[in-house]
Structure formats: C-alpha cells, structure tokens
Amino acid sequence: MTQTLLRGRLLSFVRTPQSLTDSESYRYETDGGLLMDKGLIVESGPYSEVKAKAEAGVVEIDHRPHLIMPGFIDMHLHFPQMQVIASYAANLLEWLNTYTFPEECRFVESAHAQRIATHFYDELIRHGTTTAVAYCSVHKTSADAFFAEAMRRNMRMVGGKVMMDRNAPQGLLDTPQMGYDETREIIADWHGKGRNHVAITPRFAITSTPEQMEATQALAREFPDLHIQTHLSENHDEIKFTCELYPDAIDYTDIYARYGLLGDKTLFGHCIHLSEREADAMSEAGAIAVHCPTSNLFLGSGLFPLKALMRRDKPVRIGVATDIGGGSSYSMLRTMDEAYKIQQLLAERLNPLESYYLMTLGNALSLSLADHIGTLDKGTDADVVVLDAAATPAMALKMEVVKTLPEELFLLQTMGDDRAIVETYVAGAAAKGAL
C-alpha cells in the first residue's frame, strides 16, 4: 500500500485550552506534513521534515492553504432518526410518540435499515465526522446494518441496539431476556470486528422496566470494557415521569447508579437539569455528560450549563454531539455554534479553541479512545478532516479581515457547514470525494 502525504496547516490539541491565547494547548504547523500508511498516521510535523521521511513513490496531496485536523467525533446521535429530523413538535415526549417511535418501527426491515445506514454514513463523512456514537433501533437488524456499513467503510464507530420493554409502541418493544440475548449476539457478531465498538444501550429509564435494568446490569458486569449509553435529565416532564416509575430512587441519576450503570464509560445524553448531588455522583463515577445543543434548543429542553459543570470542585466530564434527529444538523461545526450561543445566554464564554478541542481530543478522551482518535499523533488512526474557512462567498469576504487562528476557527464554527469540508480521510483514504 502506497503512503499518502498531506500538506497543509496542521492543528491538533494536547489538552484543554485555558484561554484564547493558550498556544501551549495545541500544536499548529503553518506548513505541515501528515504522512499516512496502512490506516495510521506515520509522521506528523513540519512538511520538510515529514517529506524527508516518506518512502519513494509517496502520493502527495497539497491541501494548502486549508486546515488539516483530526476528524470530528459525534458522541450521541440516533441512526434510525434520519427521517425524523425537522419534525414539528412541542417537546421531547410529544416528539418521541408522534414521530420518532413510529419511524423506528420501520427498522425491523433489513432493506430499510441498510438503505438508511448508507445515507447515514454518507452524511457523517460529508460533514467531516469520522467517529460517532449511535443508538440503533430496538431491532437487531438495525444494529447489523449499522455495523456492517461501518466495516464496509472502515470507520471507527460505537453503537448499540436500544433495549426498551415498556412505554413505546408494540413494534418497538423487546423483553428483558430478548434485550439481553440480542445485545450479547451483537457483541459476539460485531464488537472488535473491523473498528467496531458495541455499546450497551438501554434507551432511558422510562422505556425500561426494573427487570430490564437488571438485565442491563448483568451485561455491564459481563462486559465491563464496553461503553454504556443512555439518556438523563433532558426535559422536566421526562424527569418527573421517570422518578414516578422508580419511586425508591433518590433522583434520576440514582436509578442508573442502583443498577450499576454509573461508571467512567457511561455516556449520558443531555444532563441539562442535574441537581448538585447528581453532578457530584457523575463526577465521582467519571461518567460523561453529553451536550447536544441543537437538539436542546429545537425541542425546548433547556440550556446545558457546560462551563458551570466544567469548573465545579467536582468537575463533570463533557462530550458534545449532534443528537440527530432531535438535533437539527449533522455538522459538528453547526453544533458548536449553537453550544456557543447557549453559553452566551447563560452569561458564559466558550472560546473557539475549546470548541475544536471538544469535538476532537475532548470527545476522544470522553470515549476513552484518545490512543486511537482525536489527535494527529504518530501511531493513531488516520482519520482526518480538511477545512476551508473561505468555502462560501460570505466566508471568503470575512476571511479577508481574519488575522489569527482563533478568529479563523470561530468563522468556520459560526458560518461553516458541509461546504467547508474539503475532504474527509477515513483510515488514510479519501472518503468524501468517493461519495
């Protein structure tokens, strides 16, 4: 296999940026080289040095003056909800019952699941996302389609069949035993195959009986290295209903803790309305609160206190995500634009360096996958995005007065979308151009 050498401006992070002037939090090469071979990054640094280490016959691609970064990571979205996006509803529970649950019933059909999987991966690549954490439907067919397509494209993906045995249409219900058995089958069939990671996925406490939560707990004990993903404290009505279903629990977070589901690989979507006790419990367990800004605004769920959770004496680990189809864009750039606005409404500041840290290294750390993704470090996966901050006429006009890297990043975040994605490389191979 021939080596590939990308030339352009390289940007990747080494830790959380503390301010706009915190240049030690990232690595930036104005004329950089990224050498890729056999799906991995072989060398990264100044172009002249990297070029000197390349093999004879290396394929060189000049992306100057564009920005080359680690591929974006999306921590929470719903694969079966591509045709649910942009559905008009008053709130979360109405939206679920009116649009989402009926749509997910269609994923019992393999052909439908396979068709949507193709479109799903196309959209991720088009928007520069190279790893995502997805909920499939309750049907094993949906998980099979999701992971088969991930293998076909050689993408590092996390996903799981949702477990739900109440408070949903009959076509979306399993049983505690079926949820357990099918999840075990999916683990056996897909986990560790290609670049696939299976997540144990109880949808949320509303749709799982105590018996199913016990089955989930059994899976978590048997497979302690797997991610667990679910939802937490998204909407006031959801919280009230959940706590009525589990009256013995102290609060919503305590429900998951009682079933052994509160740990350092647990990904909780939303977490907008946590009490101080809940935030302490999450911090102590190392659990991750996954912020889904476009979804929170679209469904009117609330304003996520990202900065407040980060600066607590007991800080909470944070991820960021699109939450398709409650979310309204596949773009992590659009996602972080909305995240910025939410912090503005809370009288907080989210600087652009932090935003790009969160959607690359930050999310990789929250997934415990930073040894594979989220950086441009030697030996990591060659999952890369190339960005053009002058992708549209309006952006190009603004770029005429942009003087600094943070200003350019903020422009990309504020005005960019899939048009700003020049190319997406998956395991070293150009993927966007192949669509």
Side-chain angles (χ1 to χ4, degrees):
M1 187 175 178
T2 307
Q3 290 185 331
T4 301
L5 174 61
L6 306 184
R7 186 176 188 180
R9 292 179 298 130
L10 304 185
L11 174 64
S12 61
F13 290 87
V14 294
R15 60 166 171 79
T16 308
Q18 300 303 310
S19 69
L20 268 183
T21 57
D22 184 9
S23 58
E24 293 184 1
S25 66
Y26 60 88
R27 298 192 186 106
Y28 179 55
E29 294 286 349
T30 55
D31 185 12
L34 190 73
L35 187 62
M36 307 183 296
D37 192 15
K38 299 182 178 68
L40 299 176
I41 294 170
V42 179
E43 295 288 347
S44 176
Y47 170 75
S48 58
E49 294 179 15
V50 174
K51 169 74 169 175
K53 296 177 181 177
E55 295 175 351
V58 62
V59 174
E60 190 166 341
I61 303 169
D62 193 344
H63 281 300
R64 291 177 298 173
H66 302 320
L67 199 59
I68 299 172
M69 289 191 66
F72 298 144
I73 301 165
D74 187 343
M75 291 274 289
H76 177 114
L77 75 171
H78 295 261
F79 150 58
Q81 292 180 17
M82 291 194 78
Q83 292 181 299
V84 176
I85 194 170
S87 294
Y88 182 71
N91 55 51
L92 169 67
L93 298 181
E94 178 188 311
W95 177 83
L96 283 172
N97 290 313
T98 306
Y99 300 104
T100 306
F101 288 163
E103 171 61 26
E104 290 193 10
C105 286
R106 299 173 67 197
F107 282 77
V108 68
E109 300 172 9
S110 294
H112 181 70
Q114 289 162 7
R115 173 176 178 253
I116 298 300
T118 301
H119 288 292
F120 180 77
Y121 284 90
D122 283 352
E123 287 306 314
L124 293 183
I125 289 165
R126 197 187 325 278
H127 288 85
T129 297
T130 52
T131 290
V133 185
Y135 290 63
C136 301
S137 73
V138 73
H139 314 100
K140 185 175 182 294
T141 49
S142 70
D144 290 342
F146 173 85
F147 286 119
E149 190 66 15
M151 280 193 72
R152 192 176 77 77
R153 302 191 190 224
N154 198 19
M155 292 176 73
R156 187 173 295 280
M157 297 292 287
V158 183
K161 164 205 132 57
V162 297
M163 301 166 68
M164 44 196 299
D165 67 339
R166 66 171 168 184
N167 293 320
Q170 187 60 42
L172 271 191
L173 298 179
D174 56 13
T175 66
Q177 190 64 48
M178 186 188 306
Y180 171 85
D181 289 343
E182 290 191 342
T183 300
R184 289 203 83 214
E185 288 174 28
I186 292 163
I187 293 167
D189 289 348
W190 297 111
H191 186 68
K193 307 291 173 64
R195 302 167 72 199
N196 286 330
H197 300 257
V198 174
I200 299 165
T201 309
R203 188 186 201 111
F204 63 158
I206 284 176
T207 51
S208 286
T209 60
E211 292 75 21
Q212 182 159 81
M213 296 293 268
E214 288 170 3
T216 306
Q217 182 175 22
L219 287 166
R221 283 178 179 154
E222 288 176 63
F223 303 99
D225 294 335
L226 265 58
H227 293 92
I228 298 167
Q229 60 176 347
T230 189
H231 296 78
L232 175 63
S233 296
E234 179 177 0
N235 167 285
H236 288 298
D237 289 340
E238 167 219 8
I239 296 166
K240 182 173 180 288
F241 185 26
T242 305
C243 291
E244 288 170 359
L245 292 171
Y246 289 90
D248 294 339
I250 301 168
D251 48 39
Y252 198 163
T253 303
D254 187 50
I255 297 168
Y256 295 120
R258 284 170 179 243
Y259 292 100
L261 304 179
L262 186 65
D264 63 2
K265 295 193 86 171
T266 306
L267 315 174
F268 287 118
H270 306 296
C271 300
I272 304 169
H273 308 290
L274 298 175
S275 67
E276 290 299 306
R277 193 215 74 82
E278 289 178 290
D280 282 349
M282 285 188 62
S283 177
E284 289 162 9
I288 297 92
V290 184
H291 180 27
C292 306
T294 71
S295 173
N296 296 165
L297 293 172
F298 180 79
L299 293 172
S301 300
L303 305 177
F304 178 77
L306 182 145
K307 301 296 289 205
L309 289 173
M310 291 172 75
R311 66 166 174 261
R312 298 176 84 250
D313 290 339
K314 294 181 177 180
V316 176
R317 296 169 70 196
I318 301 292
V320 291
T322 63
D323 192 28
I324 297 297
S328 52
S329 174
Y330 293 88
S331 171
M332 291 302 295
L333 297 172
R334 304 266 29 82
T335 295
M336 296 315 297
D337 181 42
E338 298 304 301
Y340 169 81
K341 294 172 190 174
I342 287 172
Q343 294 315 298
Q344 288 285 92
L345 289 170
L346 293 171
E348 303 276 11
R349 301 300 302 277
L350 179 65
N351 82 56
L353 293 176
E354 290 178 285
S355 293
Y356 286 77
Y357 164 82
L358 284 168
M359 53 183 161
T360 57
L361 178 59
N363 272 356
L365 288 167
S366 291
L367 277 176
S368 304
L369 288 174
D371 53 341
H372 293 291
I373 57 175
T375 72
L376 298 179
D377 292 352
K378 182 176 178 178
T380 61
D381 297 354
D383 294 340
V384 178
V385 63
V386 182
L387 300 164
D388 177 10
T392 68
M395 292 172 73
L397 191 66
K398 169 65 178 178
M399 271 299 286
E400 291 179 10
V401 296
V402 165
K403 301 287 191 261
T404 68
L405 176 65
E407 286 178 353
E408 179 182 0
L409 294 176
F410 195 62
L411 165 58
L412 270 165
Q413 173 185 308
T414 305
M415 299 180 73
D417 51 30
D418 57 314
R419 292 170 294 180
I421 309 300
V422 175
E423 186 56 270
T424 304
Y425 292 88
V426 173
K432 188 180 182 218
L435 296 179

